[in-house]
Amino acid sequence: MKKLLIIATLLSSMSLMANDVQPADTINGVQIWADTCTRCHNLREPAALSKRAWKYSMTHMRVRAGLTGQETRDVLAFILESKTDEDAK
Amino acid sequence: MNKIILSIGLSSLVASMLLANQADDAKIQQLLKDVKALNAMKADLEGNARSGFQLAGYASFDWTGGSGGSDDFSGVKFAPIFHYQYGTIFQFEGELEFEIDEKGETVTALEYAAGTIFLNDYMGLQIGQFMSPIGQFVQNLHPSWINKLPSTPVGFGHDGAAPTSNIGMALRGGLPKIANLRSNYVVFVANAPRFGFAADGDTIIDATGKSSSGGASQLLGARYALNPIGGMEIGISGATGEAFDDTNTSGTSQNIFRTYSAMGADFMYNDQGLDVKAEYIQQKVGDNVSSTLEGGTWTAFYAQVAYQINGLNIEPVLRYSDYENPENRKKQIAVGLNYLFANNLIAKLAYENDTNSNIDDVSRVRAQLAFGF
């Protein structure tokens, strides 16, 4: 119970931290992508998933890989930008 | 006469023009309708919706043969994962695991089911059942398309030295860069693990998420990990609390409480086809005078090197793992060769040799086809 209370207090004070949403930066995105996306598993190329699926998978990877919100938006922007019609083949 | 013919001609011309006009109108209406429908389809495909669903997961098929045993198609596993997302503020992930046992029965397990509320860019509050944040193998490397060998390192499976999952609450995320370095964290509070007997009579620390702490005090834990260079992560983790012991046979059926702690250190590095992973995990359970069952320390370590040969889609793997508990010590060497049909569709062949402190050496050959989707 005590632990829960401590956590609740910490959370409510910290979640007030402002969210500084910057426009997605694909240059940072490609750097984070190269630095993190083969660390745990084989690379899943942009062609691997549809644009729609990438949106969900990147949120999933935000939690798994411990990315910040901005890093997640940057990587997603890079992936979506690199997708082409050839991806369906 | 001429006039009559001319007027008939003219009026039929006008009539046909009108008709043609009508036909064009109908065509245009149809086209507009088609464009609207296509736009709706496009919006749907591109996910122009605040919430949505995605199905992911993995499956694998195993074969085992070796000294002293029969040759078997030894496993079928299907693990669908559901992702639900609401805007950019919430995500749910849930994994079900279906396996077939030796008797042909389907064994199901809820591996994890947790919702994460993204409080800000650096904090996600995860509630529910999540994979244990102690170490990395259990939470991030066990899915068969990710694990580079067909088996888990000794001590890193269920009821070994590494805790499996927790029911509770975690705060996690990536941190702003510190001295230009990226890092991430997890802090969690969860229900207590159980200390007692497994179905086969072994003494175990049963550290899978439970919906009760059995009266023991809850677990408080954390992991912090640093990315010193691209492709590398070094993490340390720990947890402390109590374990409840349900082996009390004195008739009172009351649980006994023992001190409990867990500790982990993990390392990962991947660069240009080279992949190195290592991890140390320890769980400790204290004694309690009102029980005849002694506490003890469960430790496990593994180190693994793999190399993807560019252009050939072939990946040799070497892994050493070592698991010690109060009853036994087991060391294993595993050598494997993988063929990557695709990055998420992998055929694995491996040879394993186990050295046990209290039984003879055992070796086996394993093959597996694994894919992630």
Side-chain angles (χ1 to χ4, degrees):
Chain A
M1 191 60 209
K2 243 189 292 167
K3 283 174 196 161
L4 273 182
L5 272 178
I6 296 171
I7 287 180
T9 326
L10 266 175
L11 276 183
S12 43
S13 53
M14 286 167 81
S15 68
L16 297 175
M17 260 162 60
N19 235 6
D20 182 21
V21 177
Q22 302 284 327
D25 172 357
T26 50
I27 306 287
N28 188 46
V30 71
Q31 184 68 52
I32 301 288
W33 183 73
D35 283 352
T36 41
C37 301
T38 56
R39 197 174 67 226
C40 292
H41 52 68
N42 289 338
L43 185 68
R44 303 292 290 258
E45 308 89 342
L49 302 181
S50 70
K51 287 186 177 178
R52 182 171 188 266
W54 269 119
K55 203 172 87 179
Y56 301 121
S57 276
M58 274 313 298
T59 310
H60 186 203
M61 288 307 115
R62 172 178 176 179
V63 178
R64 290 301 174 123
L67 303 176
T68 67
Q70 189 60 46
E71 286 167 346
T72 311
R73 292 188 288 276
D74 293 351
V75 175
L76 181 62
F78 157 71
I79 288 174
L80 296 185
E81 198 168 84
S82 359
K83 285 192 68 63
T84 70
D85 290 344
E86 293 297 300
D87 289 357
K89 285 177 191 154
Chain B
M1 187 63 199
N2 269 353
K3 268 185 194 164
I4 294 172
I5 292 171
L6 191 69
S7 62
I8 291 173
L10 269 178
S11 53
S12 58
L13 192 69
V14 169
S16 69
M17 270 167 73
L18 276 175
L19 272 177
N21 237 342
Q22 256 175 17
D24 279 353
D25 256 12
K27 262 189 204 153
I28 288 169
Q29 289 308 323
Q30 187 55 46
L31 275 174
L32 281 176
K33 247 193 209 162
D34 289 351
V35 167
K36 218 169 152 186
L38 280 172
N39 270 335
M41 260 166 77
K42 176 171 167 274
D44 191 39
L45 280 173
E46 288 181 355
N48 293 0
R50 192 155 293 153
S51 66
F53 239 122
Q54 185 200 7
L55 194 60
Y58 59 95
S60 53
F61 315 110
D62 291 274
W63 183 90
T64 311
S67 61
S70 56
D71 292 347
D72 296 308
F73 287 98
S74 52
V76 173
K77 187 183 218 172
F78 169 46
I81 300 174
F82 297 79
H83 297 147
Y84 167 80
Q85 191 174 326
Y86 184 83
T88 51
I89 59 163
F90 179 74
Q91 184 204 233
F92 166 80
E93 49 173 327
E95 177 183 331
L96 287 167
E97 243 180 52
F98 297 94
E99 278 178 280
I100 308 273
D101 70 7
E102 306 88 48
K103 295 191 211 92
E105 305 208 345
T106 304
V107 183
T108 54
L110 181 60
E111 275 283 297
Y112 60 77
T116 306
I117 300 168
F118 299 105
L119 300 173
N120 60 40
D121 266 5
Y122 310 105
M123 296 163 79
L125 179 65
Q126 191 173 42
I127 302 175
Q129 184 190 17
F130 44 87
M131 300 309 287
S132 168
I134 306 297
Q136 279 291 284
F137 186 86
V138 169
Q139 56 172 331
N140 282 321
L141 307 173
H142 85 272
S144 27
W145 69 274
I146 297 180
N147 187 3
K148 295 195 181 290
L149 282 158
S151 63
T152 48
V154 293
F156 286 82
H158 285 245
D159 302 337
T164 307
S165 59
N166 291 109
I167 291 189
M169 214 159 85
L171 187 69
R172 61 199 308 163
L175 290 169
K177 281 187 182 169
I178 303 165
N180 221 14
L181 293 183
R182 297 176 54 241
S183 64
N184 61 79
Y185 72 97
V186 187
V187 185
F188 68 98
V189 45
N191 286 342
R194 177 181 73 92
F195 180 64
F197 300 120
D200 62 6
D202 283 353
T203 308
I204 55 157
I205 304 172
D206 167 11
T208 44
K210 272 170 257 312
S211 58
S212 161
S213 289
S217 67
Q218 287 183 326
L219 206 61
L220 193 60
R223 175 174 181 270
Y224 176 74
L226 195 67
N227 305 112
I229 54 170
M232 186 183 284
E233 181 159 296
I234 301 170
I236 48 162
S237 44
T240 168
E242 279 183 337
F244 70 92
D245 170 346
D246 60 358
T247 60
N248 195 341
T249 48
S250 64
T252 59
S253 80
Q254 242 171 27
N255 290 334
I256 299 167
F257 306 127
R258 294 159 175 269
T259 56
Y260 168 88
S261 67
M263 210 184 82
D266 54 83
F267 173 85
M268 286 199 241
Y269 180 61
N270 182 288
D271 186 39
Q272 310 204 356
L274 175 72
D275 189 88
V276 183
K277 293 192 165 103
E279 183 164 334
Y280 173 82
I281 294 260
Q282 180 191 83
Q283 284 186 102
K284 216 179 210 163
V285 167
D287 287 330
N288 186 309
V289 283
S290 44
S291 170
T292 50
L293 198 61
E294 273 180 46
T297 307
W298 275 248
T299 57
F301 167 80
Y302 89 90
Q304 176 185 288
V305 186
Y307 184 70
Q308 273 176 21
I309 301 165
N310 213 349
L312 284 180
N313 298 344
I314 283 178
E315 179 179 49
V317 192
L318 178 66
R319 180 185 74 196
Y320 171 76
S321 51
D322 185 337
Y323 169 38
E324 187 168 13
N325 65 33
E327 287 161 356
N328 187 20
R329 176 157 188 190
K330 187 187 224 174
K331 294 179 195 172
Q332 184 187 75
I333 297 265
V335 196
L337 191 65
N338 301 336
Y339 182 78
L340 285 75
F341 291 99
N343 279 353
N344 58 332
L345 174 59
I346 303 148
K348 311 178 198 171
L349 184 66
Y351 170 80
E352 295 174 357
N353 181 267
D354 297 358
T355 319
N356 285 281
S357 61
N358 53 10
I359 51 168
D360 287 346
D361 283 16
V362 188
S363 55
R364 63 188 79 78
V365 174
R366 287 183 192 273
Q368 184 184 64
L369 180 70
F371 61 99
F373 49 92

